[in-house]
Amino acid sequence: MDTLQSRPIKERPFEYFFYVQCTGNLEEENLSSLMKSMEDVVSNVKILGTYEILEKQ
């Protein structure tokens, strides 16, 4: 996990949603397993996208 940010949910005091940024590949077993296990403990999981990291030359 690289980044974890929380934001309040409008109109719902004391409730928050979280943005999580991590490095990896969703096709790798460890990251896909993590995403599946998150669905068991949170009410909503949305993957905003995946991005390839290009190495500097």
Side-chain angles (χ1 to χ4, degrees):
M1 179 171 60
D2 299 323
T3 304
L4 175 64
Q5 297 179 356
S6 65
R7 298 287 185 261
I9 298 175
K10 293 180 182 178
E11 309 291 327
R12 294 168 65 183
F14 306 107
E15 292 189 36
Y16 298 85
F17 65 92
F18 295 87
Y19 288 109
V20 177
Q21 179 178 329
C22 56
T23 301
N25 183 336
L26 286 173
E27 294 177 6
E28 292 176 357
E29 180 62 31
N30 61 346
L31 191 54
S32 65
S33 175
L34 170 68
M35 296 305 293
K36 288 176 186 173
S37 66
M38 282 180 48
E39 293 174 351
D40 295 335
V41 294
V42 299
S43 59
N44 189 1
V45 173
K46 185 184 294 186
I47 298 174
L48 298 178
T50 59
Y51 308 93
E52 183 178 351
I53 298 173
L54 303 176
E55 293 183 29
K56 294 182 181 180
Q57 294 183 356

